[in-house]
Amino acid sequence: MQSLEELSREIESIRQEIREGAAKFATPEAFYEFRKSFLDNKAGKIGHLMKEMRNVPKEDKAAYGKNVNVLRDWAQEHFKDMENAVRAKQLEMRYEREKIDVTEPAVRVEEGRLHPVTQVKNQLIDIFASMGFEVYEGTEIETDYYNFTALNTPQDHPARDMQDTFYLSPEFLLRTQTSAGQIHVMESKKPPIKIVSPGKVFRSDDDATHSPMFTQMEGLVVDKGITLCDLKGMLDVFVKRIFGEETSTRLRPSFFPFTEPSVEVDVSCFECGGKGCRLCKGTGWIEVLGAGVVNKKVLENCGIDSDEYSGFAFGLGLERIAMLKYGINNIKLLFESDLRFLKQIND
Ligand code: DAH
């Protein structure tokens, strides 16, 4: 563009373009891009006019330069106003977006809580920890040896029929009892031993009070001079803490391959106080766990001298404790994740 005439036409068209552009910008970014396309020294249209100066005849250079400067000053002023307008519009939109209606009802924040079985597990751990027990967590997949053989239940032992086992291979299985953990602990630790071991166990069993997966807690104490009396004393403290001060225990003879003697432990019915009701089926007693004095063979299997040391063990089902404690009549409720049910138990 060499002639002044051409320049003034170009200037007019640029002014026009800037004026028309003004109303279009929804975002500041778009506006800044637009402004750049005129004012940028390198890529802008007005910057470009300046560069053209070298092609303008000498005698016109002064007038050319003046005209372009006037245009640039005008554009800068104009863009300043536009920028203010764009900013004001942005602010207005933001106020609109962030408007709060203080009269609207608040959104209720739902509070989560622990599953009843987890609540029971934590309560039991607290109680046992206060009596000096440590927590050992075993694995859900076990070998036949740890789950059965080392617990004095060899391959052809009839006691294997007490538990229907999910085998993964002839050697590996889903543990049927947390008792398997006893063996690991006794193999790796010298007495005195005092542990509880909570965890999932698996059995092919399914009805209103049995689930193929459920949770147990095993307890094991091994030291010099441990007897059945120590077990009874500990259980008395334990049941009072979990079911209430009025609760007492009763031991009935039973059989487990890994304990000798073995007992079934009943608690006096905390619902009727022993008079007989629906919960205790009229007997006044409720069965809560299996226990006994650790069989000498089990100690020997783990390399513990059974003449020097003795121990007691116990195993209980956490779902069963939860069902008794919270009056739940079907174990399935503990596995269905129905919030209407779960919300009712916050202990
Ligand atoms: N493991 C047994 C079961 O699952 C429960 C049990 C009974 C564990 C007696 C023990 C025990 O440690 O001494 O039925």
Side-chain angles (χ1 to χ4, degrees):
M1 174 180 332
Q2 283 106 355
S3 78
L4 289 177
E5 222 170 284
E6 272 176 297
L7 176 68
S8 54
R9 249 184 280 127
E10 178 66 17
I11 286 177
E12 210 24 65
S13 116
I14 288 177
R15 279 181 194 263
Q16 187 69 16
E17 212 181 320
I18 292 175
R19 276 194 209 102
E20 281 170 6
K24 290 185 211 155
F25 304 107
T27 67
E29 290 74 22
F31 164 73
Y32 292 126
E33 272 309 306
F34 181 69
R35 185 173 71 176
K36 200 171 146 194
S37 74
F38 292 95
L39 291 184
D40 190 75
N41 281 341
K42 275 197 198 131
K45 287 181 178 159
I46 297 175
H48 180 73
L49 286 182
M50 277 298 195
K51 270 193 251 155
E52 281 291 302
M53 182 75 106
R54 53 194 144 97
N55 302 323
V56 174
K58 226 179 182 175
E59 60 276 20
D60 291 341
K61 271 196 202 295
Y64 183 98
K66 198 174 149 208
N67 285 348
V68 175
N69 279 341
V70 170
L71 170 66
R72 198 191 47 216
D73 292 348
W74 173 84
Q76 274 169 348
E77 257 328 285
H78 199 84
F79 281 128
K80 215 179 274 172
D81 292 345
M82 275 167 78
E83 185 176 10
N84 288 339
V86 168
R87 288 216 172 138
K89 193 165 164 214
Q90 280 298 113
L91 207 57
E92 203 178 296
M93 279 163 61
R94 192 176 141 196
Y95 288 154
E96 195 54 41
R97 233 183 10 250
E98 295 178 0
K99 213 184 226 170
I100 294 172
D101 179 357
V102 290
T103 64
E104 231 179 61
V107 181
R108 264 201 31 213
V109 179
E110 286 284 346
E111 200 182 305
R113 65 187 51 151
L114 296 174
H115 190 276
V117 172
T118 309
Q119 294 183 35
V120 166
K121 180 173 104 175
N122 291 349
Q123 289 164 16
L124 295 190
I125 289 177
D126 280 352
I127 295 171
F128 285 112
S130 76
M131 295 195 249
F133 284 74
E134 285 174 42
V135 176
Y136 166 83
E137 288 199 53
T139 54
E140 288 167 13
I141 294 178
E142 267 297 356
T143 61
D144 186 276
Y145 177 78
Y146 284 96
N147 195 79
F148 287 125
T149 309
L151 287 160
N152 194 32
T153 322
Q155 200 78 56
D156 52 356
H157 198 290
R160 286 213 181 190
D161 296 342
M162 287 164 81
Q163 304 172 1
D164 251 324
T165 311
F166 291 115
Y167 275 92
L168 304 173
S169 71
E171 190 190 356
F172 289 101
L173 46 79
L174 295 179
R175 68 176 170 196
T176 61
Q177 48 188 354
T178 44
S179 307
Q182 286 187 24
I183 306 300
H184 289 287
V185 172
M186 285 191 280
E187 276 182 353
S188 62
K189 198 173 175 315
K190 292 218 163 337
I193 290 170
K194 208 171 176 187
I195 59 108
V196 283
S197 181
K200 292 192 179 93
V201 298
F202 306 84
R203 289 181 202 177
S204 181
D205 222 351
D206 203 3
D207 60 32
T209 51
H210 296 89
S211 152
M213 187 279 286
F214 61 105
T215 325
Q216 282 190 332
M217 185 178 279
E218 189 78 10
L220 174 71
V221 173
V222 182
D223 204 348
K224 288 179 183 161
I226 297 288
T227 69
L228 199 64
C229 289
D230 296 301
L231 171 69
K232 172 92 166 97
M234 187 231 44
L235 286 173
D236 283 338
V237 174
F238 159 67
V239 299
K240 285 186 197 324
R241 296 269 301 269
I242 194 91
F243 294 117
E245 275 304 311
E246 309 303 313
T247 321
S248 56
T249 59
R250 163 177 101 166
L251 305 186
R252 273 182 297 112
S254 182
F255 171 78
F256 298 102
F258 32 87
T259 40
E260 181 57 41
S262 301
V263 293
E264 211 82 62
V265 181
D266 296 340
V267 294
S268 57
C269 182
F270 40 85
E271 192 76 9
C272 64
K275 285 198 234 46
C277 67
R278 258 182 64 184
L279 184 67
C280 58
K281 301 191 184 92
T283 64
W285 294 94
I286 302 170
E287 183 189 319
V288 288
L289 57 92
V293 172
V294 181
N295 194 312
K296 280 173 176 263
K297 284 191 200 150
V298 175
L299 294 176
E300 297 294 341
N301 285 343
C302 302
I304 293 177
D305 183 348
S306 62
D307 290 330
E308 193 179 356
Y309 292 104
S310 57
F312 68 72
F314 58 93
L316 47 87
L318 298 188
E319 283 80 4
R320 179 161 171 77
I321 304 284
M323 288 171 78
L324 291 170
K325 209 171 164 197
Y326 306 125
I328 301 164
N329 57 12
N330 193 322
I331 196 169
K332 300 287 179 298
L333 286 165
L334 291 169
F335 294 98
E336 282 168 348
S337 305
D338 185 336
L339 287 179
R340 290 169 304 179
F341 162 74
L342 294 174
K343 273 181 181 168
Q344 296 176 45
I345 298 168
N346 194 16
D347 196 3

